[in-house]
Amino acid sequence: SKKIKSLAEKLPTKFVAFDILYYKGKDLTDSPFSERRRILLETVTPNAFIEVSQGIETKGVKLFELVKQNNMEGIVAKRLDGKYLIGKRTDLWVKIKNWKDEDFVIIGFTIQNDTPKDLLLAQYMGDKLVLRSSVYFGFSKFDIKTILDYATKNHSPTPTYDSTLITVTAPVIWLKPKLVCTVEYMCLTQNLGLRQPIFKGIRQDSSPKSCLLPKDFYNKKL
């Protein structure tokens, strides 16, 4: 239809084949990955809509170094003699992620059902505090208690940031910008947020002014 054609032009997608489990009526799950890979490469002809995942058999460490240099998410390592075990996670294949971490000032937290949900994270650009991201995963009950205890004496009636890279719609308890934390993440999203952010802990040895917005963001509209 015209709608499908229009969407295909605006949002082009491609199917990437990573493995092959059945071929000409034969179950390949007991075959080693090297054999399944050979059949996959011989069977699938890449075109504008489908391709086969790329891979190398040596120099995996050097490949991962290139992944880090290019700010990519990571690599997947598979044993050549590994079978395909449906519905199970085993050490026959592992994800090796390119994690990064940064320090942020916690300037508030959102509230849902009277419970803290997202921590709002900011960094300084000169004297300007920029609201950059949020994190909702990784903090313990002790971390939440620490933040709530801090909020009782350091509540701010209004937001303390000057500009923002994200949109916040939920009710917020704003804080004075003094509390620093470390957040680990995979890579940046298209709107400069953090992909898969994980709260790693409060920093007692770090100053809020040391939480600096990377210079790559300086030319963005803030």
Side-chain angles (χ1 to χ4, degrees):
S1 70
K2 291 184 179 180
K3 185 176 181 180
I4 293 176
K5 182 179 180 181
S6 175
L7 288 173
E9 292 174 350
K10 293 179 180 178
L11 302 170
T13 59
K14 181 177 288 190
F15 179 85
V16 180
F18 289 87
D19 210 329
I20 184 167
L21 307 185
Y22 297 91
Y23 181 60
K24 292 185 176 180
K26 181 181 178 181
D27 185 348
L28 301 178
T29 56
D30 281 336
S31 301
F33 174 68
S34 57
E35 176 68 9
R36 302 198 312 271
R37 177 78 176 173
R38 181 188 65 78
I39 295 173
L40 180 66
L41 291 172
E42 292 177 354
T43 303
V44 177
T45 301
N47 56 39
F49 306 102
I50 185 172
E51 66 179 59
V52 177
S53 63
Q54 299 182 9
I56 62 172
E57 294 188 13
T58 60
K59 299 182 181 180
V61 174
K62 289 187 177 181
L63 174 63
F64 188 63
E65 290 300 319
L66 287 173
V67 165
K68 292 195 291 185
Q69 291 173 20
N70 289 276
N71 292 316
M72 301 173 71
E73 289 192 18
I75 61 176
V76 175
K78 298 185 177 183
R79 285 183 51 168
L80 291 175
D81 61 349
K83 298 179 180 180
Y84 192 97
L85 303 179
I86 296 176
K88 296 181 180 179
R89 283 293 299 269
T90 72
D91 60 359
L92 297 178
W93 66 274
V94 293
K95 291 181 180 179
I96 305 173
K97 296 183 178 182
N98 177 26
W99 290 103
K100 303 173 178 61
D101 63 73
E102 290 185 45
D103 286 350
F104 296 87
V105 187
I106 302 174
I107 62 169
F109 51 88
T110 64
I111 295 292
Q112 187 176 69
N113 299 325
D114 298 323
T115 302
K117 184 187 176 188
D118 300 303
L119 302 183
L120 302 180
L121 310 173
Q123 292 175 320
Y124 279 96
M125 185 173 67
D127 292 328
K128 179 187 292 187
L129 196 58
V130 178
L131 177 58
R132 182 177 169 194
S133 188
S134 64
V135 61
Y136 63 89
F137 184 76
F139 36 81
S140 64
K141 291 182 179 179
F142 177 79
D143 294 322
I144 290 294
K145 183 179 184 304
T146 300
I147 294 168
L148 289 176
D149 289 346
Y150 174 85
T152 59
K153 297 181 180 180
N154 295 278
H155 172 257
S156 175
T158 58
T160 53
Y161 62 83
D162 296 299
S163 265
T164 181
L165 290 171
I166 65 170
T167 300
V168 181
T169 57
V172 177
I173 301 297
W174 298 106
L175 304 176
K176 295 178 182 178
K178 298 178 182 179
L179 199 61
V180 175
C181 71
T182 298
V183 173
E184 192 175 62
Y185 63 97
M186 280 290 298
C187 60
L188 300 180
T189 63
Q190 190 172 12
N191 63 352
L192 308 178
L194 310 181
R195 188 178 299 281
Q196 299 182 20
I198 300 175
F199 180 86
K200 301 302 290 185
I202 302 294
R203 290 287 304 267
Q204 302 291 350
D205 59 341
S206 186
S207 165
K209 286 291 187 178
S210 69
C211 301
L212 303 176
L213 189 74
K215 291 186 177 179
D216 295 347
F217 297 122
Y218 279 31
N219 294 327
K220 304 297 180 181
K221 186 176 181 180
L222 297 172

